Amino acid sequence: GAVVSQHPSRVICKSGTSVKIECRSLDFQATTMFWYRQFPKQSLMLMATSNEGSKATYEQGVEKDKFLINHASLTLSTLTVTSAHPEDSSFYICSASYSPQETQYFGPGTRLLVL
Amino acid sequence: KQEVTQIPAALSVPEGENLVLNCSFTDSAIYNLQWFRQDPGKGLTSLLLIQSSQREQTSGRLNASLDKSSGRSTLYIAASQPGDSATYLCAVDTDKLIFGTGTRLQVFP
């Protein structure tokens, strides 16, 4: 149980385009979903926390207008990187939990390369 | 500000050795500490979770200890195998997960 999927697993796009990444909890209802970013040889950094039906809470230094998060249902959250640039190239990982303080279950990640 | 450090950054050992990976954190006000495994280009697999009131957790060949007062945790891997090769991350839970930079482990036959 507690499986989280992400789609796509890998995406290459041109600079200036927008990219949408989906995070799904397959066998449970996730009240809370988290989005992390991991640059090469660096640790995972929390970007934002989203609760179903409400606006996401962004960490300091993360541009909310650039990284749009939608958590419209208990099984799906999306992260849209708007007007992507090469410096946005990274590994994006989501996690989901039954509630904010519960165990987080991680997705397999999405590797984004912006040319 | 909570900071999590892992030592060593990389480790290469022959199969069969017993290993110790270290994790230190600067603020002892944590709910719990988790050890994860990350394979190249993949997500995270939770290995062990130690609540702040606990001292250690064991799962198979893995044993994790926690000394909250000194801000340290160790992950002990017994009789290492090539399949253990991965990056090991520790993370402390302080209303959000704060990760260390990981230890890249390679176990060669």
Side-chain angles (χ1 to χ4, degrees):
Chain A
V3 178
V4 177
S5 69
Q6 281 185 242
H7 178 80
S9 59
R10 181 184 297 266
V11 57
I12 301 174
C13 69
K14 292 182 179 181
S15 183
T17 60
S18 294
V19 175
K20 180 183 286 188
I21 302 171
E22 293 185 347
C23 176
R24 292 182 184 272
S25 55
L26 299 184
D27 52 2
F28 69 102
Q29 293 187 325
T31 301
T32 307
M33 288 187 171
F34 304 84
W35 287 95
Y36 294 85
R37 180 168 54 183
Q38 184 180 34
F39 291 108
K41 298 186 178 181
Q42 294 188 25
S43 62
L44 274 76
M45 296 294 291
L46 180 65
M47 298 174 66
T49 302
S50 72
N51 292 298
E52 186 266 339
S54 62
K55 290 184 179 180
T57 301
Y58 290 80
E59 294 298 304
Q60 192 172 10
V62 178
E63 300 174 57
K64 61 180 66 176
D65 294 331
K66 181 171 183 62
F67 298 98
L68 302 179
I69 293 173
N70 183 282
H71 190 170
S73 78
L74 286 172
T75 60
L76 173 65
S77 176
T78 59
L79 168 68
T80 301
V81 183
T82 61
S83 186
H85 287 95
E87 58 265 31
D88 298 322
S89 299
S90 186
F91 192 56
Y92 292 85
I93 301 179
C94 73
S95 69
S97 64
Y98 293 93
S99 66
Q101 299 302 325
E102 296 284 330
T103 298
Q104 295 180 36
Y105 300 95
F106 285 82
T110 296
R111 186 162 300 282
L112 170 64
L113 176 61
V114 184
L115 303 177
Chain B
K1 178 185 174 185
Q2 178 74 267
E3 293 183 1
V4 182
T5 305
Q6 290 186 245
I7 295 173
L11 188 59
S12 182
V13 299
E15 181 177 10
E17 281 206 2
N18 299 323
L19 310 171
V20 176
L21 308 183
N22 298 290
C23 173
S24 61
F25 47 97
T26 55
D27 188 341
S28 62
I30 64 172
Y31 295 115
N32 58 61
L33 182 145
Q34 273 189 281
W35 283 92
F36 293 89
R37 169 184 173 139
Q38 183 177 29
D39 292 284
K42 300 290 182 61
L44 305 181
T45 301
S46 179
L47 299 173
L48 291 165
L49 183 150
I50 312 176
Q51 298 291 348
S52 63
S53 59
Q54 297 177 319
R55 298 284 292 183
E56 66 176 338
Q57 282 286 332
T58 298
S59 176
R61 293 183 293 108
L62 305 179
N63 175 278
S65 67
L66 174 64
D67 184 343
K68 201 173 74 163
S69 61
S70 66
R72 294 179 184 175
S73 176
T74 61
L75 177 66
Y76 177 82
I77 303 175
S80 59
Q81 303 171 357
D84 295 331
S85 300
T87 295
Y88 290 81
L89 300 170
C90 71
V92 296
D93 190 347
T94 62
D95 283 333
K96 63 182 180 181
L97 288 182
I98 299 175
F99 286 83
T101 51
T103 294
R104 292 190 308 280
L105 173 63
Q106 181 180 13
V107 181
F108 53 90

